[in-house]
Amino acid sequence: MGEILPRLLRALATTIQISVLALLLGTVFGLLLGIARVIGPRLFYPVIDGYIFVVRSTPFALQVYAAFFLLPRAGIDLPLFVVGVLALLFNSVGYQIEIVRPALESVDKEQREAADSLGMTRWLAMWLVILPQAARRMVPPLTNELANLVKASSVLSVIAVYELTRAGHAIIASSYKFAEVLILVAALYFVTIQLLSWGAAYLERRIFTYRSGQPI
Amino acid sequence: MEDTPLLFAGLDVRFMVEIFPRMVQALLVTVQISALALLLGIVLGIPLGGLRVIGPRPLQLLIQGLVSYIRGTPQILHFLVVYFALPGVGILLDEYWTGVVALTVIAVGYEVEIVRAAIESVHKGQREAALAQGMTEPMAFWLILLPQATRRMLPALTNELINVIKASALLSVIAVNELTKVGNAIIYNTFYFVEVLLEVAVLYMLVIGALSWLSNYLENKVFSFGTALSTPETR
């Protein structure tokens, strides 16, 4: 077990890298689409809702296969690592829009009215007044999302991205020590995900108490 | 005439119609295996969920640990564990039943929490009244708490079925002939990427869309008195 731990830890680093990358890129798109879903032209709403529906009602494994098959066919040849990040990103944005939208809508509407009465445009009010207040409410669910991404990234092993699950599988295939490997892999995932979900719970408590009893 | 492609938006419609029966068959396998896992999950989830609430403290902690483990590790890992561990302890199953066992493990992790939350949502006066009538804890659980909790579980269980169906796509890695696997096999044989992926995605969306509508319906209409439970969505 001692021998394979360094290999698994390196693979865990890849898992975390992929997940963090997908989270951060996802937040950029999630914010843009989430804001568009709240104050953008109405024409966008069905498109964004349709995207969310597709993401949430198809298995992530299918989305991974689709990226794996379709990107090269469209003439886009990328390393598997990047294909994996893109698949994870496509998936995560669908969930992150649904983190951003409620957070924006949870800001008291008096805030927007006050900004209006000061002569701000809708977009300026969003940028200067609503978003800063909503941002802190997004932090706990986004931490949770990172935990979900760590779990989801394991599916990338099916297209041979060398992350933790794939590394475990490879070591089993060469050594047949499945019990040792699976216990270590499970423990590494478990610790990582528990830390993240405790982090999310902690942040939720902090933010909640800061607002002194106001529901977030 | 037989082999002239019938094109619509660049897609070979004739081919899509041709593979449709195989796709529907694969979808049935997906739904069947998921429903089986959900039901087995309920059979295990009710006693485990009950013990999680009224069992002895060490047992409660053990069940809680099991639930955290199942929910706190990736689903694909459960497939690998079941796939390697069952033969390791001398239980030999075919791919289909290996898949059912693995999906049941995933389902139980969430169903224990659904059962626990439903039981805890029944007013505690109900339990106290049952005990005051001279019932034992298990009797109060089976006769008083569980019947009232059951209807509150329905929307959450429908959601859980959605989660299990999505998880079943991972069975393609252990060669169960469910929808994702059959789609991939057709792609490798024919290289009709877009047509196959589109058809697979639409079939999933139809089933999952219908189930999520049902779940919302159960939550809003049947449970308008307000204590339906929700369950976290997995991928």
Side-chain angles (χ1 to χ4, degrees):
Chain A
M1 275 174 119
E3 286 165 49
I4 55 173
L5 191 60
R7 272 177 82 182
L8 290 177
L9 281 174
R10 269 200 302 278
L12 175 66
T14 309
T15 285
I16 292 173
Q17 230 170 44
I18 293 176
S19 311
V20 170
L21 217 54
L23 182 84
L24 294 180
L25 292 172
T27 307
V28 174
F29 290 103
L31 276 176
L32 287 175
L33 291 171
I35 290 171
R37 179 65 185 76
V38 177
I39 60 165
R42 278 204 181 269
L43 207 65
F44 287 178
Y45 292 6
V47 180
I48 296 174
D49 290 348
Y51 168 65
I52 295 172
F53 177 77
V54 170
V55 168
R56 297 174 86 127
S57 357
T58 52
F60 180 53
L62 183 70
Q63 295 162 18
V64 173
Y65 283 124
F68 179 67
F69 287 130
L70 295 181
L71 286 176
R73 194 152 183 277
I76 308 166
D77 261 316
L78 296 168
L80 284 173
F81 179 88
V82 181
V83 173
V85 171
L86 287 178
L88 209 53
L89 177 65
F90 173 82
N91 184 274
S92 185
V93 170
Y95 288 87
Q96 290 197 39
I97 296 171
E98 287 293 276
I99 292 174
V100 172
R101 191 184 52 78
L104 293 176
E105 285 171 353
S106 76
V107 176
D108 286 336
K109 74 171 192 296
E110 286 81 2
Q111 297 284 327
R112 211 200 69 230
E113 289 166 1
D116 272 350
S117 69
L118 288 169
M120 288 190 191
T121 63
R122 261 196 319 175
W123 291 90
L124 198 62
M126 172 58 74
W127 183 244
L128 294 177
V129 180
I130 312 284
L131 192 57
Q133 297 182 63
R136 50 186 305 131
R137 297 173 197 191
M138 296 174 198
V139 173
L142 284 177
T143 314
N144 250 330
E145 175 64 12
L146 183 58
N148 286 333
L149 285 174
V150 169
K151 275 199 274 181
S153 68
S154 66
V155 177
L156 300 178
S157 62
V158 302
I159 58 164
V161 175
Y162 202 82
E163 42 65 74
L164 186 50
T165 303
R166 184 72 192 183
H169 206 260
I171 296 173
I172 291 175
S174 61
S175 68
Y176 296 103
K177 294 207 178 300
F178 62 84
E180 291 86 342
V181 175
L182 287 175
I183 288 171
L184 274 180
V185 170
L188 289 176
Y189 272 120
F190 187 73
V191 169
T192 309
I193 288 165
Q194 285 301 311
L195 285 177
L196 286 171
S197 63
W198 282 333
Y202 170 76
L203 288 169
E204 204 156 323
R205 268 201 315 278
R206 285 260 336 241
I207 286 171
F208 189 83
T209 44
Y210 176 80
R211 301 276 303 167
S212 62
Q214 272 199 45
I216 53 168
Chain B
M1 284 305 283
E2 190 53 40
D3 47 1
T4 23
L6 182 65
L7 292 177
F8 175 76
L11 300 172
D12 188 340
V13 178
R14 193 189 299 282
F15 176 76
M16 289 175 83
V17 173
E18 202 181 287
I19 59 170
F20 188 68
R22 280 173 72 189
M23 288 288 187
V24 171
Q25 220 165 17
L27 178 66
L28 287 180
V29 174
T30 288
V31 171
Q32 199 184 45
I33 206 167
S34 308
L36 208 56
L38 187 83
L39 291 178
L40 287 173
I42 293 175
V43 171
L44 290 169
I46 286 180
L48 286 176
L51 285 172
R52 171 76 181 75
V53 182
I54 62 164
R57 191 80 188 133
L59 204 55
Q60 284 190 22
L61 289 174
L62 192 69
I63 295 170
Q64 196 186 348
L66 189 71
V67 168
S68 312
Y69 165 72
I70 294 175
R71 295 171 59 141
T73 47
Q75 295 172 335
I76 203 163
L77 195 67
H78 304 316
F79 289 94
L80 293 180
V81 169
V82 170
Y83 186 73
F84 286 110
L86 284 185
V89 295
I91 304 171
L92 293 173
L93 297 172
D94 61 7
E95 292 86 8
Y96 184 89
W97 286 100
T98 306
V100 171
V101 172
L103 279 180
T104 304
V105 169
I106 291 170
V108 164
Y110 290 85
E111 285 173 28
V112 168
E113 286 297 278
I114 293 173
V115 172
R116 181 189 60 77
I119 301 281
E120 284 177 349
S121 78
V122 177
H123 194 277
K124 76 173 194 292
Q126 296 285 327
R127 187 182 136 262
E128 287 163 3
L131 296 181
Q133 297 286 326
M135 287 189 186
T136 59
E137 281 275 11
M139 267 170 88
F141 173 76
W142 285 109
L143 298 175
I144 307 295
L145 300 181
L146 192 58
Q148 296 184 65
T150 306
R151 48 187 300 144
R152 299 178 192 190
M153 296 175 199
L154 285 180
L157 286 175
T158 316
N159 274 336
E160 185 50 26
L161 182 56
I162 293 175
N163 288 338
V164 175
I165 288 176
K166 286 199 267 179
S168 75
L170 295 171
L171 292 175
S172 55
V173 300
I174 58 167
V176 176
N177 279 320
E178 46 72 52
L179 189 51
T180 303
K181 161 83 184 166
V182 169
N184 282 347
I186 296 177
I187 287 178
Y188 280 121
N189 286 331
T190 64
F191 298 104
Y192 279 99
F193 298 92
V194 185
E195 285 86 347
V196 175
L197 286 170
L198 195 65
E199 202 161 318
V200 172
V202 167
L203 286 175
Y204 272 119
M205 287 192 283
L206 281 177
V207 172
I208 291 174
L211 284 172
S212 97
W213 175 85
L214 176 68
S215 162
N216 278 335
Y217 174 82
L218 288 173
E219 214 158 310
N220 295 332
K221 295 282 151 55
V222 185
F223 299 89
S224 46
F225 55 88
T227 30
L229 302 160
S230 63
T231 180
E233 189 177 337
T234 59
R235 311 185 174 191

